Amino acid sequence: MHSAKNLLLHRPRLLISFSIAFISVFFLPTAWLWTTRALFAWNLAVWAYLLLMAWLMMRANHHRVKAMAIREDKSAVTVLALISLSAMISVGAIVVELSGTKDLSAEVRAMKYLFTGMTVLGSWLLVAVVFCFHYALLFYRSPESRRALRFPDDEQKPDYWDFLYFSFTIAVAAQTSDVAVTSHSARKTVLVQSVLSFFFNVAVLGFSINIAASLVGN
């Protein structure tokens, strides 16, 4: 009960998004493969959450970012780990989803490719966004005299755009660019995101090659 209350108070958008996805499972065609239904629900949750987060980020100044980071509960690391693990599982489920596509018509195969492409993209974006929020938490919970991250020009009032910049730089290029990492916990977080980003980038490359080979072969 206490955990559910914390989730409602601290992560209402996450709760709303995944509740919608859970309910949708009961209305999806039973003729679909279990992987298709699971990935469809996952996509609903991910894209709903990303839209809600985009709306939040566009309206949040550094004061609100700081307030949200400070009131985060102790489950922040657990939530980050569970979402990252779920995103990795979704990529694994795509392998099952794409199996046997050779026997399908060109139209159905194209829809499968579009569907799996949205899944990979959504999962990749989700991981970068949740890490962005975690970097905000690390920054604003660290002492003012020694912040967990140091932005260019000694910026001490970063908003979500600054943390998005840092997170997506790691996701795209596996480097921290012009932002200095100055704490042990932040370095561990960067290391985890770098490994996850490498996994996703390799997966995207692999799926792209597989789809291209399939199209050429047909």
Side-chain angles (χ1 to χ4, degrees):
M1 182 69 179
H2 183 67
S3 298
K5 183 178 179 181
N6 281 343
L7 184 63
L8 183 62
L9 289 174
H10 299 290
R11 300 175 185 83
R13 296 165 188 83
L14 183 66
L15 181 63
I16 291 170
S17 301
F18 281 86
S19 295
I20 292 172
F22 177 76
I23 294 171
S24 72
V25 172
F26 298 98
F27 296 93
L28 296 176
T30 55
W32 287 8
L33 294 174
W34 69 269
T35 50
T36 305
R37 283 182 288 168
L39 288 175
F40 188 90
W42 171 256
N43 273 281
L44 273 181
V46 168
W47 289 104
Y49 181 72
L50 289 174
L51 288 173
L52 290 172
M53 289 298 98
W55 177 248
L56 169 67
M57 291 177 178
M58 288 188 294
R59 298 165 56 242
N61 56 26
H62 81 274
H63 294 293
R64 188 174 183 186
V65 176
K66 181 178 180 179
M68 292 181 66
I70 291 175
R71 73 166 182 257
E72 278 286 348
D73 63 350
K74 294 181 180 179
S75 65
V77 174
T78 302
V79 171
L80 178 68
L82 287 175
I83 290 179
S84 300
L85 178 61
S86 299
M88 292 174 64
I89 291 173
S90 73
V91 174
I94 290 174
V95 177
V96 179
E97 184 68 17
L98 289 177
S99 62
T101 54
K102 292 182 179 180
D103 300 326
L104 300 175
S105 64
E107 292 78 10
V108 176
R109 197 162 56 245
M111 290 298 296
K112 285 266 189 181
Y113 292 153
L114 178 62
F115 178 57
T116 54
M118 286 184 61
T119 304
V120 174
L121 177 61
S123 296
W124 183 80
L125 290 171
L126 176 67
V127 169
V129 168
V130 294
F131 270 92
C132 155
F133 278 90
H134 198 71
Y135 290 128
L137 182 154
L138 292 174
F139 181 90
Y140 281 112
R141 282 191 169 184
S142 57
E144 288 190 21
S145 59
R146 187 172 177 77
R147 291 298 196 186
L149 302 172
R150 188 170 68 248
F151 290 88
D153 303 322
D154 293 324
E155 174 59 65
Q156 293 299 308
K157 298 179 180 179
D159 57 21
Y160 282 129
W161 293 108
D162 296 294
F163 295 113
L164 273 176
Y165 163 77
F166 179 68
S167 182
F168 273 90
T169 299
I170 297 172
V172 172
Q175 63 172 325
T176 58
S177 187
D178 54 352
V179 180
V181 183
T182 61
S183 78
H184 179 67
S185 57
R187 281 190 288 273
K188 288 196 298 184
T189 305
V190 169
L191 174 62
V192 173
Q193 189 192 358
S194 299
V195 173
L196 281 174
S197 298
F198 176 79
F199 167 80
F200 273 102
N201 293 340
V202 169
V204 170
L205 179 61
F207 288 135
S208 300
I209 293 174
N210 181 273
I211 291 172
S214 175
L215 294 174
V216 171
N218 289 280

